[in-house]
Amino acid sequence: MKKPIRALKAASVLMSIFLSKPSCELMNRGILALVSSIGCMSAGSLQSLADAMHIPHLFIQRAPAGTPRSSCPPTSRAQPDDYTLFVRPPVYLNDVIFQVVMEYTWQKFIIFYDTDYDIRGIENFLDQTSQQGMDVSLQKVESNINMMITGMFRTMRVEELHRYRDTLRRAVLFMSPATAKAFITEVVETNLVAFDCHWIIINEEISDMDVQELVMKSIGRLTLVRQTFPLPQNTSQRCVRSNHRINTSLCDPKDPKAQMLEITNRYIYDTVLLLANTFHRKLEDRKWHSMASLSCIRKGSKPWQGGKSMLDTVKKGGVSGLTSLLEFNDNGTNPNIHFEILGTNYGEDRGRGVSRLGTWDPIHGLNGTLTDRKLENNMRGVVLRVVTVLEEPFVMVSENVLGKPKKYQGFSIDVLDALANYLGFKYEIYVAPDHKYGSQQADGTWNGLIGELVFKRADVGMSALTITPERESVVDFTTRYMDYSVGVLLRKAERTVDMFACLAPFDLSLWACIAGTVLLVGTLVYLLNWLNPPRLPMGSVSSTTLYNSMWFVYGSFVQQ
């Protein structure tokens, strides 16, 4: 861990030198305030420099590559001596998404985040979900999304892919709009999600054009959380704010330029406007201080005498611009932030509309009601053609009267009837002509039930059909309702004490042969010794009885 930490420190030092040098050159020429639009790590060096030189520093946090912001780490300096003002409000993404998830009553979901997002930004959110007993998973979305999805199909087994699809039914995306579009496109094209999924995308930087493209690329239900700026109800006042007029292309929400304007650039515009009003007010009060012409490199250089007065004037001021109201509290932060929550209904219609579900702000919290609505009864009058394969107890023929349509019953038929009653459709059911489930032929075509669906002769297929990757590549499956596997049943052994257990290794006939062999060989040894007794030395005694012969053979057999 030492090498990455040293590399990070070295990068921070280089970035500090890179930013401090031009800042010092500006101070040598003379400045009244310093405005920066950079990341948290780079802003630390400018903050230290501004505190040392007493130069008001208006910091506008910019997230890398359009990803959601993460809170900057707190500084060690005391707040009253801090000359840095945070133009962008604090990051409230944790609070917003937690309240949205609670309103939807989600208990299990997955969080996707891109490579540029600082995962430490949702640490508080993860703590809150853990306290509520929610099951939350995390997955990083690589820059090459196609390779990432392909790798999952290559490494995961079929059962693991099914479980992964179940997990994707509820997801939260912390990523840039561009990455979200590419990611949604990949998972939809590879059939990883279905029309019953519900995804939440949260990012302050989501334009109206991004919303339209995300809705067009997604299926199922989509909820989008983004930062918004309240506009005056009177349209004639939208481009006229206090004593200045804003360009129509920037203040008109329907103008394409205004829609493409990044939030960071909006804050830059209002920051410059605020400083202009501050300088004008200082001139009117005749409390103008000479510009700070300082040398921040020389050790004995003194800070700017008018810095404190200029900082207080900026804090007391405020401006109404492109970000609604820009002002600062005693801590030097901008408290004004508003989020709007947009959403679609469930379905596969790519042209479905987007409605405003509610708003959120730090003072009032959530204003609106969020419900995870299920499928609506929108199939009245629709007649579906259903193909099936007979398989007990799922699909069976209950009545077959000559000249009348067959009637079917079974578990799958009960599910189909329940869906028909709930959604309001009617159906016509028939058996696949070849009575097969479906397999791919040598010429690439499909037969059986799958072939009926591929050739559009049927709208729905229903039977005890096994989900395979080959079939999933040509048709869409519902969530599985039964797992089937082959098992082996064995009778549980009874534990009894048997005094003849030592005979278990051999069969009874084998033991009989062994005993007969011992008797036969022992008898032969006795007869040979009796017919032809061995010549023994004088004084030795030989026992050639039948009993000794038997023991001799038995001892040779057991080697004892």
Side-chain angles (χ1 to χ4, degrees):
M1 292 295 293
K2 292 183 178 179
K3 290 184 178 179
I5 293 175
R6 290 175 181 173
L8 183 61
K9 291 181 178 179
S12 303
V13 172
L14 290 175
M15 185 63 69
S16 302
I17 297 174
F18 177 77
L19 292 173
S20 299
K21 186 176 180 181
S23 303
C24 289
E25 293 178 356
L26 290 175
M27 291 182 183
N28 291 333
R29 299 177 185 176
I31 61 174
L32 298 173
L34 182 63
V35 180
S36 65
S37 177
I38 49 181
C40 295
M41 183 182 297
S42 305
S45 59
L46 294 184
Q47 184 173 355
S48 301
L49 182 61
D51 293 344
M53 296 290 104
H54 291 187
I55 301 295
H57 172 214
L58 285 81
F59 168 53
I60 305 171
Q61 183 184 358
R62 181 183 293 272
T67 58
R69 288 191 303 151
S70 296
S71 299
C72 293
T75 58
S76 58
R77 294 186 60 86
Q79 298 242 347
D81 299 333
D82 196 352
Y83 277 78
T84 296
L85 303 178
F86 294 88
V87 177
R88 293 196 70 167
V91 181
Y92 287 101
L93 298 183
N94 285 334
D95 304 272
V96 181
I97 193 62
F98 179 72
Q99 193 157 2
V100 170
V101 170
M102 289 293 292
E103 287 289 321
Y104 283 142
T105 64
W106 285 9
Q107 291 298 321
K108 181 179 181 181
F109 57 92
I110 184 172
I111 296 177
F112 291 101
Y113 62 97
D114 55 17
T115 55
D116 294 319
Y117 180 68
D118 188 358
I119 192 63
R120 294 174 296 180
I122 59 174
E123 185 177 355
N124 293 334
F125 172 66
L126 295 176
D127 292 340
Q128 290 175 316
T129 56
S130 178
Q131 294 174 4
Q132 295 295 326
M134 299 180 183
D135 185 3
V136 183
S137 305
L138 288 172
Q139 183 172 353
K140 182 179 180 180
V141 177
E142 303 296 338
S143 55
N144 192 334
I145 300 176
N146 181 270
M147 184 179 296
M148 171 185 138
I149 300 295
T150 305
M152 287 194 300
F153 276 99
R154 186 171 57 251
T155 57
M156 285 186 177
R157 295 178 297 178
V158 177
E159 296 81 2
E160 293 175 336
L161 280 174
H162 291 331
R163 289 194 294 268
Y164 187 67
R165 284 190 176 93
D166 292 340
T167 305
L168 293 184
R169 292 181 63 250
R170 299 290 181 266
V172 179
L173 274 60
F174 282 87
M175 56 182 64
S176 64
T179 306
K181 296 172 194 174
F183 182 63
I184 291 176
T185 301
E186 286 291 336
V187 296
V188 170
E189 291 180 352
T190 53
N191 292 327
L192 282 175
V193 292
F195 66 93
D196 63 339
C197 70
H198 186 179
W199 283 18
I200 301 175
I201 304 176
I202 181 167
N203 193 333
E204 296 168 328
E205 299 271 1
I206 301 180
S207 63
D208 293 340
M209 187 175 298
D210 293 331
V211 172
Q212 296 175 4
E213 293 180 0
L214 288 169
V215 172
M216 290 293 294
K217 293 179 181 297
S218 65
I219 62 174
R221 188 178 182 188
L222 190 66
T223 299
L224 301 107
V225 182
R226 66 175 182 177
Q227 186 177 354
T228 185
F229 305 100
L231 296 174
Q233 296 295 331
N234 191 350
T235 57
S236 61
Q237 298 178 356
R238 291 181 179 178
C239 296
V240 179
R241 307 290 175 87
S242 300
N243 57 348
H244 65 278
R245 177 179 291 274
I246 304 176
N247 193 318
T248 308
S249 62
L250 300 179
C251 61
D252 187 2
K254 297 182 180 180
D255 192 283
K257 292 183 179 179
Q259 294 180 0
M260 296 301 296
L261 188 63
E262 295 182 3
I263 292 180
T264 305
N265 295 334
R266 289 175 177 267
Y267 280 109
I268 293 176
Y269 182 93
D270 288 355
T271 300
V272 175
L273 195 61
L274 174 64
L275 290 177
N277 291 345
T278 302
F279 300 156
H280 182 73
R281 189 162 53 252
K282 293 285 287 185
L283 287 174
E284 287 182 344
D285 295 342
R286 296 184 180 181
K287 295 180 180 179
W288 185 263
H289 294 272
S290 60
M291 288 191 298
S293 180
L294 307 171
S295 175
C296 56
I297 301 178
R298 193 169 57 239
K299 289 185 178 181
S301 60
K302 296 181 179 180
W304 184 33
Q305 298 298 325
K308 185 62 176 177
S309 176
M310 183 64 71
L311 179 67
D312 293 339
T313 307
V314 174
K315 280 187 176 181
K316 293 178 182 178
V319 65
S320 179
L322 297 180
T323 61
S324 186
L325 181 61
L326 173 59
E327 59 183 357
F328 299 99
N329 53 23
D330 296 336
N331 296 329
T333 58
N334 179 11
N336 300 313
I337 188 170
H338 299 271
F339 289 90
E340 70 173 349
I341 303 170
L342 307 175
T344 65
N345 295 326
Y346 285 101
E348 294 182 281
D349 183 12
R350 301 296 178 91
R352 61 194 188 280
V354 181
S355 58
R356 189 172 186 177
L357 305 179
T359 59
W360 189 94
D361 64 80
I363 299 176
H364 304 94
L366 179 63
N367 182 16
T369 302
L370 303 179
T371 56
D372 203 353
R373 293 189 300 273
K374 304 301 180 183
L375 290 173
E376 300 175 352
N377 304 346
N378 56 357
M379 298 184 67
R380 299 289 179 184
V382 178
V383 179
L384 298 179
R385 188 166 171 79
V386 181
V387 60
T388 186
V389 175
L390 298 180
E391 179 73 28
E392 296 182 357
F394 302 98
V395 181
M396 301 173 290
V397 177
S398 61
E399 184 178 338
N400 189 6
V401 180
L402 185 63
K404 294 183 179 181
K406 295 181 180 180
K407 292 185 178 181
Y408 298 89
Q409 64 181 4
F411 180 78
S412 297
I413 301 299
D414 294 340
V415 174
L416 182 62
D417 290 336
L419 287 174
N421 294 332
Y422 183 75
L423 298 176
F425 66 85
K426 297 180 180 180
Y427 64 88
E428 298 174 354
I429 189 170
Y430 71 98
V431 179
D434 55 1
H435 301 277
K436 295 181 179 180
Y437 290 107
S439 58
Q440 193 171 13
Q441 306 301 303
D443 57 355
T445 60
W446 288 81
N447 62 0
L449 184 149
I450 299 295
E452 297 295 304
L453 295 173
V454 171
F455 290 108
K456 306 297 183 182
R457 291 190 288 265
D459 302 309
V460 179
M462 182 185 62
S463 185
L465 186 64
T466 304
I467 302 175
T468 63
E470 292 78 12
R471 291 171 176 171
E472 280 190 310
S473 64
V474 292
V475 298
D476 291 329
F477 283 90
T478 63
T479 302
R480 68 188 188 279
Y481 57 83
M482 180 178 178
D483 289 326
Y484 174 77
S485 60
V486 178
V488 179
L489 296 179
L490 298 176
R491 182 179 178 182
K492 188 176 181 181
E494 297 180 358
R495 295 184 178 181
T496 58
V497 179
D498 188 3
M499 60 183 301
F500 297 103
C502 59
L503 302 178
F506 297 141
D507 191 58
L508 183 61
S509 59
L510 182 59
W511 282 115
C513 292
I514 294 174
T517 303
V518 171
L519 293 174
L520 179 61
V521 174
T523 304
L524 290 176
V525 170
Y526 168 73
L527 291 175
L528 290 175
N529 287 332
W530 180 71
L531 295 174
N532 189 16
R535 296 180 180 180
L536 300 175
M538 293 295 295
S540 61
V541 179
S542 174
S543 178
T544 58
T545 62
L546 180 62
Y547 177 79
N548 289 340
S549 299
M550 294 296 178
W551 270 113
F552 173 75
V553 174
Y554 179 77
S556 301
F557 177 74
V558 298
Q559 297 183 357
Q560 293 291 331

